[in-house]
Amino acid sequence: MEAIDDLRTTPRLGLALGGGGALGAAHVGVLQVLRERGIRPTVVTGTSAGSIVGAAYALGLDPYVLEDWAARATWGTFGTFAPRPGKGILSADALRALADRVAGERNIEDLSVTFGAVATDWRTREAVVVTQGELAEAVAASIAVPGVFRPVTIEGRELVDGGIVQNLPIEACFDLGATHVIGVRIAPEWDALGHQALHVHEYLIRADVTYIRPLTDTRSQWITKDLPELVDIGREAAERALADYPIVNPRPPRKDLAAEPDEDPSEPVPGVPSAESASDSQVPPALRGVSRFLRQH
């Protein structure tokens, strides 16, 4: 029987955060538990929503502040209605503006951890792991759900949501040098696209993969009102998976989490038309048909 790695001391420990729209808030709860158990990944990959939370981790943002942000985030935090017709009804201008306010024009190669955002080449349907250049552009490419967000062009390649080809980016994490990967899977139905399901299963049964599965089945990927509860769902899943690790950094009391973060993702960005004025009941029809579209391609 193979020995189980101690995640607290594993060199080049990896963290692979899967895609799943609004369900990505569960990743925030996982980050909190990792901090509390003294587990510090140094290689991080993210697909779609996972790339947003992964980028926040790579920037060193406090996971408890992220929880406060998640409680107020809407689709307008990440997307803005495109002023002219194109290959999507939203652009990622709001995400770019928020990233610039929080971190400035940071390049991935300047981060203190190894980071890769997984996207899909729209023409070849190949996975593209963006590991250099502007962090905001890489994340914008990874979340570019076809028909919803406009594609992002990086190095001449038109990139869209990475969930089409690698929704749980464990393979990408190993490719970036991780020796053991913590894989957080929030939307298993997306992994059923193409040959992903078998590929993902092959990784999940490996001894060098720790699997965390937040129970998000009854939650919607497109509705943001459940974001605060999803953080707790992520915490519960991580606590189950990492129960053998003692708490070394206790969670701050919740009353201390009410402090306002330096930037509020719910605030409109000057000069950028907001998509969040519509309530979740007014989500654009394109969002409601995304899962069906992905399963057909």
Side-chain angles (χ1 to χ4, degrees), residues 82-212:
R84 288 182 290 275
K87 297 179 179 179
I89 61 174
L90 303 178
S91 75
D93 288 346
L95 173 66
R96 294 184 181 96
L98 177 61
D100 287 344
R101 290 192 305 186
V102 172
E105 296 182 0
R106 295 284 293 276
N107 285 342
I108 296 175
E109 54 267 37
D110 297 329
L111 300 173
S112 60
V113 301
T114 301
F115 176 74
V118 179
T120 302
D121 186 308
W122 180 240
R123 294 183 174 84
T124 67
R125 297 297 196 272
E126 296 174 331
V128 177
V129 184
V130 184
T131 58
Q132 58 184 359
E134 291 186 21
L135 178 63
E137 284 299 290
V139 174
S142 186
I143 70 168
V145 178
V148 180
F149 284 94
R150 293 193 168 183
V152 175
T153 300
I154 296 178
E155 296 185 351
R157 305 180 81 170
E158 198 171 37
L159 303 180
V160 295
D161 194 294
I164 297 174
V165 291
Q166 196 175 142
N167 198 51
L168 182 57
I170 295 177
E171 179 179 4
C173 206
F174 278 118
D175 288 345
L176 291 184
T179 58
H180 186 116
V181 175
I182 300 170
V184 187
R185 191 184 195 189
I186 57 174
E189 65 273 22
W190 282 34
D191 303 337
L193 306 175
H195 300 289
Q196 284 196 62
L198 178 60
H199 198 55
V200 167
H201 177 72
E202 291 174 348
Y203 276 106
L204 294 182
I205 62 176
R206 287 173 45 162
D208 54 358
V209 172
T210 296
Y211 179 40
I212 297 178

Side-chain angles (χ1 to χ4, degrees), residues 45-110:
T45 52
T47 296
S48 199
S51 74
I52 297 175
V53 180
Y57 174 86
L59 286 167
L61 299 184
D62 188 311
Y64 306 107
V65 171
L66 291 179
E67 178 181 6
D68 191 58
W69 284 10
R72 291 177 289 163
T74 70
W75 281 106
T77 304
F78 311 107
T80 55
F81 286 119
R84 288 182 290 275
K87 297 179 179 179
I89 61 174
L90 303 178
S91 75
D93 288 346
L95 173 66
R96 294 184 181 96
L98 177 61
D100 287 344
R101 290 192 305 186
V102 172
E105 296 182 0
R106 295 284 293 276
N107 285 342
I108 296 175
E109 54 267 37
D110 297 329

